[in-house]
Structures are given as C-alpha cells and as structure tokens.
Amino acid sequence: MSLLGGIRPPIAVLSVLLLTLAAVTAFSLGSVKHGKLPDAVLTSQQHFAEDGAIALRASLDESVTDLARAAALFSASAEPVPADAVLDKIGSVYQKWRGTAVIEIRSGRLLAARGETLPLTVIDRAKLSEEDGLAPRMVRLSNGETRLLSFALLSWEGQPQQLLVASSSLRFPGIALGKFRSIAVVDSTGKVLSSDGIPEPEQVLTDLQRDEVEQHGKQLATFAAEATKRASGHPLKTKEPGSGGFTGISGSLLGEEYRGDRAVAGYAALAAPKPGEATMATGLGLTVVAMVHVAEDPTRGTDPLVGLGAAAALLVIGALAVTLLLGFVQRPLLRLFLESRRLVRGDLRRPVTVPRTGETARIGTALERLRQQLLDDPGTTAPTAAAAPRWRRAGGRGLLLACGFLLLAWSAPLALLINRADTTAVIPQQLVNDQRERTDTLTDRVRRALNEGHADLTSVASLIGDRTSPEDMRAVLDRTAEEHGRYASLYVLTADGEVLARTGEEPRHTAGEGPADGAVAVLNDDGKEPVIAGFAEVPGRDGAALVGEFRIDFLNSLLEREGLGQVRVVDAERRVIGGNTGYLAFDDLPSARLDALVEGTSQQVGLNPRPSGVLYRDDDGVQLAAAAPFVGGGAAKDLGWTVVSWKSASALAIPEYKLQNRTVLSGLLVLTAAVACLGWLHIIVVRPLRQLAAHAEALADGDRRTVLYPRHHDEVGAVLRSLELLRQQLQNQQAQARRDTVTPAGRN
C-alpha cells in the first residue's frame, strides 16, 4: 500500500491532529493568566522609557551639533567676532544651554561667560588637539548635579584660537510624566544622575508623604541598578529576531508592592536612530528608567476550566467523527478488499457481505452479482443498484460533510462567538494615561523640532547678513543643507518675492509673493503633501528672509513611536498634515469621535492647556485615543497644530484579548485540520471509490470490454485490480461457454 494513499493515513492523521489540538487547547486557554497586573502595563512602561531615551539622545546630539555649527559660522566670518558678541548671539538664538563660556586656549584666560558657572578647570587644554580632544564629557558640579560639557573651536586667521564651551543638563526635554510617574537618567555604574517626578523629602508636609517619597526613591534606585545590568548586553542578543521597534536595549521591570500599588518600570539605553550606528550621546553609556505605581486588581486569577472544557468537547466531537469514518468508510472498504480477493481466488461458496450504505454498498452488491455470474446460476439474480433503497445510496461525500459539520460545530463558535473580549476586557486606567502622556511628549518633540529648525535658519540668516554676492550666499546655503537633513530646499527671498540664491529642490513658494508673516507656516492647503516652511529675516536686506522648506518625511519620522498606534498631526481646522502611516494630505480624521476629541482638546488651550485621553467602547470595538495641542513658546507656537493618536485595545497584552486570540486560533486550527484531512480523504478515497462503484456496476451489468486500470496502490486500487481479474474470468467463462455451444453443433 502507498504510504500517503489509502484509507488509513488521513484518518490516522486526523485523529492525531485532533488529540494534539485538544491538548494545545487545554493548555493555551487554561494558561491565560488573568493576573493582578496585565502585561500591557509593563510593555507600556517600556515604550515610555524608549520615548525618554529617544528625546534625551536627540536633545544631547542636537546640542553638540548646534554648538559646533554655530562656532563654524562665526569662524567663517572675515573679521574676528568678540567673545561677548558670540555668547550674546548664541543665547538669543538658542535657549538650550545652562551656561556658556569662551576661553583662550593658549593662555587659558576666560574671555566671556553667560549663565551658570562652568567647571573650566576640568578641561585639559593640552589634549584639545588630539582626535577626541573636543569630545563632550560629563562632569559633576559642586551641588551634585551632572552636566554635559560640549566644545567647539573659534579660529580666525592671525588670532589665537578660542574654545567655545557650553553645558547641558541631563534632564528630559518636554517629557510629560503625569501625576504618579518618575523618570531618571542612570550612568553605566547604576548611579542616578538626574531624576524628574520625585519631590524632595524636605518638600513634603506629613510623615506619611515623606515615607512614600523615601520608598519611591529606594525603589527607583533598585530599578536603576537592575536596568544598568540588563542594558549592558548587546541589542541583537536581548531582543527576539525581527522584533524591530526601538534600536537599543529596552525592557520592563516589576517591583515591590507598597500600600496596594505595584511599582513598575521601563528602561531603555540611549540608541542611535538606525541600527549599528553610533552618536555622541550613545557613547555616554546612559540608560533611562521610567517608574510608576499601578493599582493591582486582587480579584483576577487564572481559570483552567475554560481550556479543559473546550478540550473535552473537542475530544467527544472528534471521537464521534473518527468513529463515523472508521465505521462507514474504512472498515467496509477493507472488508470489500478481502471479499474481492476471495472471489478472485475462486472461493464462491459464501455470499458477499454487503455493507449497509454508500459506495461500498453498491460495490458489495455488484460483487455479489459477479459471484452469482461466476457460479453460472442463471436462476439466481442479485439485486441491482437501482433497486437498492435510497438511504443505501448515501455516498461518502455526505459522510465527509457530516464529519465536517461536527468539527465545524466546535470550531465556528470558538472562532466567531466565544470569548469576545470587547465586552468583557478590563482596560487599566494606566494605559489610557500612558497613551495621553506619550502623545503629549510626542507633541512637544514635534514642536521643538520645528523650533530648532527655525533657530538654525535664524543663525544662518545672521551670517548671510548684507552680503551682496549670490555665490557667497549659495555657499552658505549649500553647507547648511549638507549639515541639515530636515530641509528640502533653502533660499533667500526678497520682500517682493524674488529668489536671490537657493539650494536643494525647486522652491514651492508662490512666485511673486514675499515671506510669510509667521516664523513657521504651511504654504498650501491642497495637493499631495503639505509645504511647511520656516522664515528668518536676513539683517540689512530690507525685509528679505531666509526660507527653509521642511521635508515632510522629516516630520513623519518624528511620529514613529513603538506601541503608540496610528498618529496624525492636524492643523487648526483638523486637517491631516502628517502621520506615521499612510494618509492623504489635508484629509479629515478617519472618525467623527477623533475629530470631536481634537476639537475639544484644542478649544481648552486658552483655559487649561492639557492633553486629553479617552477609552472608546462602541460597535467599532475598544479603542484608546489621545490628543495633545501645541503649547509652549517658540516659532511653532502659532501653528495651532494638534497631535492625535489612537490604537485598538485588541492589540494589547490584556488577558481577555489573549484568551480571545487563542480561542480564535484553536478554532481555526481545528477547522484547518478538518478541511485538510477530510479533503485528503475525499481526493484519495471517496472520489476514486465513486468511480470504482460505477465500474463495478457496469461490470455486473455485462460490460466485459472495458479494461480496468488501477491508478493508486491502495485499497481502492486493490479492489479495482480484483474486478479486472474477475472481468477476465467472466470473459474467459463466456468464451468457454461459446466454444462448448459451437463444438456439439459441429459434430452433428
């Protein structure tokens, strides 16, 4: 018999699959833990820490790059710029440094200083000429705070070289913490360098509050030490292959319980935007730890009876289906195989045992008629197939359909009806808070990026000044475009709309129009993509401005945040400007409830500038959404934009949705196994069996000319070979009968 053919393999495989799937169902459905704290909360804290790491890395790298770029612009001027003028100009353009200073490298003399006092004694002037002599470094001030010192050279021909120094704090720019969260920066030894969200013990009023603050600080220190150990590994070895998302090392930690709340933390090491790359900030060995206390649900637990009940039902239904296949297909076919072999051997004494229904009954009836014909008993005739009752003609296809319906009756409810989580899922409030705060943080990141772009334009415009040569202006624009990937085009625009010099793509500013009124504006209101441009007045040029058109990809790249769902930036009229997934520019939001959320959030800006978060439950499923408007200063404050994000709760690691997903998977697996095995059985056995029944009846009805060729070496093929041998015997019997009839006539 063929290994993959015949009646036995598909039924055996179906039996094994059903037993395996019953065990899988019992284990998978019964092992869903309805813990006191869902895994989604831990994952959310991990994503929050990743947002903090991205913001801190971008802030530190931008700070170092801006200082070096500003020093290069000053050094490019023909005449030396006084140290006080350098610091005043930097302070008016950038408001990011805690302190700045200029010293003469040869003598070490302090030429000018602004802001907080810098620890200049830690600078080894003799090593500034080395390859890493200007590399940023972290220093600790006398008050215990940590600063990052950045350096850049100021040099003019015939003048002693000067060193421009700026200090940056290791605090997070624009991170929304909410009321119960703290975030910290940790060095490679596990020491907390800076933290936000934890009040000082002397700032609280009661002993109970002081005890809570101290407990909070101890737990954060514990998390910091553990996060440092885990962040010391390699990103490729700490993540699952193909997981994507954050390029660095990140994870979550579960802490101790205190007064009914569980401490949960996420950690993330500073990582470059692209895997395998390195930046200044990533070389500092810093890790971000975000901690929050979450209320646990003590009523939740694990219910293994769900899986056991479903598995038991599958075993009963599967056993019934397999029994039907064994009793009405396999055993009758094997019996026919034995009966046909017996007839071929010449054992015609016993009548053929005829099965009760289906094609096997038709074949058995035909074999009995063939036995009668081999006995050459014309007085006895077997019942024909047409004379058989209708119920006996029910075929194997009907039996397969019956077995399929049995298995469908188990799998369809699991895939479509049972364990629907949209009505029973408990969504922790912490997830709604995290969605709101992460959206607020992302809003601030977009606003700061536009402000940074405008600050760069202002710095370059001051360098251009009243230069008359377009070649000189174009050289400055080319260098700026090479250093900044955020601009699609840079050009100098006069008050009457004439372009004096440009670089990059063709300007999309309307011909003949002068600079826009705002510092950052959208130049169009239709088309395939918005044209967002920043304007900085060029001193001494009678209203001329340096215009930088931002790449829309630059804006969209800022919106890519793991676990935040779909994100859109909308203008004051709630039209889409940018997004992290596919969208149509200037289109409306995809639902009226999101539009209402943005409208309600933007209307409260004048009274209470806070983001909004909401959990929707309706016919469209459970959805978390949040909106945060542009607030704060800078060039982008007048845009009136709002960032809105939303995601389906079904994608969260919540026990109810886990149970639903595993339930649907179990139903689909059983349905797939049933279709595969029953389809296999139909192709290999039932369809050939129907053809065999037709051949057997035709042979019993007197067709001796059709030669029967078996196509498969299985039970059906064996019966067909026996029929061919019986046909040959009947043919020989007829020939012998004709010879016996002709010979006596010839003798007479």
Side-chain angles (χ1 to χ4, degrees), residues 228-365:
T228 304
K229 294 179 182 178
R230 298 192 181 187
S232 61
H234 194 279
L236 296 180
K237 297 180 180 179
T238 57
K239 286 189 173 184
E240 296 181 359
S243 59
F246 186 67
T247 57
I249 300 176
S250 62
S252 58
L253 300 170
L254 190 63
E256 298 178 355
E257 181 183 0
Y258 181 75
R259 298 186 182 277
D261 294 341
R262 177 72 66 176
V264 182
Y267 65 91
L270 269 60
K274 296 181 179 179
E277 295 184 354
T279 67
M280 180 281 304
T282 60
L284 298 176
L286 301 179
T287 303
V288 174
V289 178
M291 185 182 77
V292 68
H293 283 84
V294 183
E296 294 184 325
D297 186 359
T299 62
R300 311 193 71 171
T302 303
D303 187 10
L305 296 180
V306 177
L308 293 177
L314 178 58
L315 288 177
V316 172
I317 293 178
L320 179 58
V322 172
T323 301
L324 289 176
L325 294 176
L326 291 175
F328 290 91
V329 179
Q330 177 173 312
R331 291 176 182 172
L333 181 57
L334 295 178
R335 188 179 300 115
L336 287 178
F337 166 69
L338 297 176
E339 292 287 352
S340 63
R341 293 288 296 273
R342 178 173 65 86
L343 296 182
V344 170
R345 292 195 304 267
D347 186 1
L348 306 177
R349 294 172 299 173
R350 291 182 292 106
V352 175
T353 303
V354 180
R356 290 177 292 180
T357 59
E359 291 83 3
T360 54
R362 295 167 55 191
I363 298 171
T365 302

Side-chain angles (χ1 to χ4, degrees), residues 559-638:
L559 306 178
E560 296 178 358
R561 290 294 183 269
E562 187 74 13
L564 198 56
Q566 298 189 56
V567 183
R568 297 288 184 271
V569 177
V570 297
D571 59 12
E573 299 178 4
R574 299 184 296 282
R575 299 176 303 178
V576 176
I577 301 297
N580 64 341
T581 55
Y583 66 93
L584 294 177
F586 303 106
D587 197 9
D588 296 330
L589 288 170
S591 65
R593 62 187 184 186
L594 293 175
D595 192 79
L597 175 63
V598 174
E599 182 180 8
T601 303
S602 59
Q603 287 178 352
Q604 68 174 357
V605 172
L607 300 176
N608 191 10
R610 293 187 301 177
S612 300
V614 65
L615 178 66
Y616 294 110
R617 287 184 183 268
D618 51 25
D619 296 338
D620 295 332
V622 183
Q623 188 180 76
L624 286 78
F630 273 25
V631 295
K637 65 179 181 180
D638 297 328

Side-chain angles (χ1 to χ4, degrees), residues 365-596:
T365 302
L367 287 177
E368 175 61 21
R369 295 171 61 197
L370 293 174
R371 187 186 72 86
Q372 297 284 353
Q373 295 174 16
L374 288 172
L375 289 175
D376 195 17
D377 185 3
T380 304
T381 59
T384 63
R390 182 177 296 274
W391 63 270
R392 294 190 62 181
R393 296 183 62 84
R397 291 187 298 184
L399 182 63
L400 295 183
L401 288 176
C403 295
F405 277 120
L406 282 176
L407 297 176
L408 182 64
W410 184 90
S411 58
L414 264 70
L416 302 175
L417 301 176
I418 298 177
N419 294 331
R420 299 298 94 183
D422 284 343
T423 58
T424 60
V426 178
I427 310 298
Q429 180 62 33
Q430 185 61 47
L431 296 180
V432 182
N433 297 341
D434 292 344
Q435 186 78 9
R436 179 188 65 243
E437 292 159 10
R438 293 187 65 199
T439 303
D440 191 20
T441 299
L442 186 57
T443 302
D444 188 81
R445 178 76 186 103
V446 175
R447 182 185 62 83
R448 287 176 182 270
L450 295 176
N451 289 344
E452 290 284 350
H454 181 265
D456 291 333
L457 293 175
T458 303
S459 178
V460 175
S462 64
L463 178 64
I464 292 176
D466 56 356
R467 292 185 180 185
T468 57
S469 171
E471 288 75 14
D472 293 341
M473 288 189 289
R474 188 176 299 110
V476 175
L477 297 181
D478 289 340
R479 185 171 65 248
T480 304
E482 183 179 355
E483 294 174 347
H484 296 278
R486 60 167 64 101
Y487 301 112
S489 63
L490 288 166
Y491 50 94
V492 178
L493 188 68
T494 63
D496 57 0
E498 180 184 358
V499 177
L500 299 180
R502 73 175 181 88
T503 186
E505 300 177 2
E506 186 72 23
R508 288 184 282 182
H509 193 279
T510 303
E513 291 188 3
D517 296 334
V520 180
V522 180
L523 304 182
N524 61 336
D525 56 5
D526 58 10
K528 294 183 178 180
E529 64 180 39
V531 180
I532 307 167
F535 299 85
E537 185 178 356
V538 180
R541 286 266 177 195
D542 299 328
L546 174 62
V547 184
E549 295 182 2
F550 294 97
R551 297 183 185 274
I552 193 62
D553 293 339
F554 161 72
L555 175 65
N556 293 339
S557 65
L558 300 175
L559 306 178
E560 296 178 358
R561 290 294 183 269
E562 187 74 13
L564 198 56
Q566 298 189 56
V567 183
R568 297 288 184 271
V569 177
V570 297
D571 59 12
E573 299 178 4
R574 299 184 296 282
R575 299 176 303 178
V576 176
I577 301 297
N580 64 341
T581 55
Y583 66 93
L584 294 177
F586 303 106
D587 197 9
D588 296 330
L589 288 170
S591 65
R593 62 187 184 186
L594 293 175
D595 192 79

Side-chain angles (χ1 to χ4, degrees), residues 68-385:
R69 188 177 299 118
L73 291 175
F74 286 119
S75 299
S77 62
E79 298 294 331
V81 182
D84 287 308
V86 170
L87 298 186
D88 290 339
K89 187 61 179 178
I90 289 178
S92 64
V93 176
Y94 301 102
Q95 292 83 32
K96 63 176 63 178
W97 292 297
R98 302 295 297 267
T100 54
V102 177
I103 63 174
E104 189 178 279
I105 296 178
R106 182 183 303 173
S107 63
R109 182 168 58 93
L110 179 64
L111 302 179
R114 298 289 187 275
E116 68 179 9
T117 303
L118 302 183
L120 301 178
T121 56
V122 303
I123 302 175
D124 189 351
R125 292 179 285 111
K127 296 183 178 180
L128 293 178
S129 60
E130 298 179 2
E131 183 178 355
D132 59 345
L134 296 178
R137 66 200 65 175
M138 291 188 296
V139 297
R140 183 171 293 275
L141 303 181
S142 58
N143 60 1
E145 294 186 5
T146 302
R147 293 288 185 266
L148 178 68
L149 295 185
S150 304
F151 309 98
L153 292 178
L154 294 170
S155 59
W156 295 274
E157 186 177 356
Q159 296 291 327
Q161 273 193 326
Q162 299 173 6
L163 183 66
L164 177 60
V165 186
S167 67
S168 306
S169 64
L170 295 180
R171 294 188 178 273
F172 301 90
I175 292 292
L177 297 179
K179 296 182 179 180
F180 309 104
R181 191 192 305 273
S182 60
I183 192 168
V185 180
V186 184
D187 64 10
S188 58
T189 64
K191 185 176 182 179
V192 177
L193 301 180
S194 67
S195 62
D196 292 314
I198 304 178
E200 297 296 334
E202 59 271 10
Q203 296 177 351
V204 298
L205 302 177
T206 65
D207 294 339
L208 179 59
Q209 292 176 337
R210 187 175 295 106
D211 182 59
E212 291 180 352
V213 171
E214 292 177 354
Q215 180 67 23
H216 195 97
K218 292 179 181 178
Q219 185 64 73
L220 181 60
T222 303
F223 281 145
E226 181 64 24
T228 304
K229 294 179 182 178
R230 298 192 181 187
S232 61
H234 194 279
L236 296 180
K237 297 180 180 179
T238 57
K239 286 189 173 184
E240 296 181 359
S243 59
F246 186 67
T247 57
I249 300 176
S250 62
S252 58
L253 300 170
L254 190 63
E256 298 178 355
E257 181 183 0
Y258 181 75
R259 298 186 182 277
D261 294 341
R262 177 72 66 176
V264 182
Y267 65 91
L270 269 60
K274 296 181 179 179
E277 295 184 354
T279 67
M280 180 281 304
T282 60
L284 298 176
L286 301 179
T287 303
V288 174
V289 178
M291 185 182 77
V292 68
H293 283 84
V294 183
E296 294 184 325
D297 186 359
T299 62
R300 311 193 71 171
T302 303
D303 187 10
L305 296 180
V306 177
L308 293 177
L314 178 58
L315 288 177
V316 172
I317 293 178
L320 179 58
V322 172
T323 301
L324 289 176
L325 294 176
L326 291 175
F328 290 91
V329 179
Q330 177 173 312
R331 291 176 182 172
L333 181 57
L334 295 178
R335 188 179 300 115
L336 287 178
F337 166 69
L338 297 176
E339 292 287 352
S340 63
R341 293 288 296 273
R342 178 173 65 86
L343 296 182
V344 170
R345 292 195 304 267
D347 186 1
L348 306 177
R349 294 172 299 173
R350 291 182 292 106
V352 175
T353 303
V354 180
R356 290 177 292 180
T357 59
E359 291 83 3
T360 54
R362 295 167 55 191
I363 298 171
T365 302
L367 287 177
E368 175 61 21
R369 295 171 61 197
L370 293 174
R371 187 186 72 86
Q372 297 284 353
Q373 295 174 16
L374 288 172
L375 289 175
D376 195 17
D377 185 3
T380 304
T381 59
T384 63

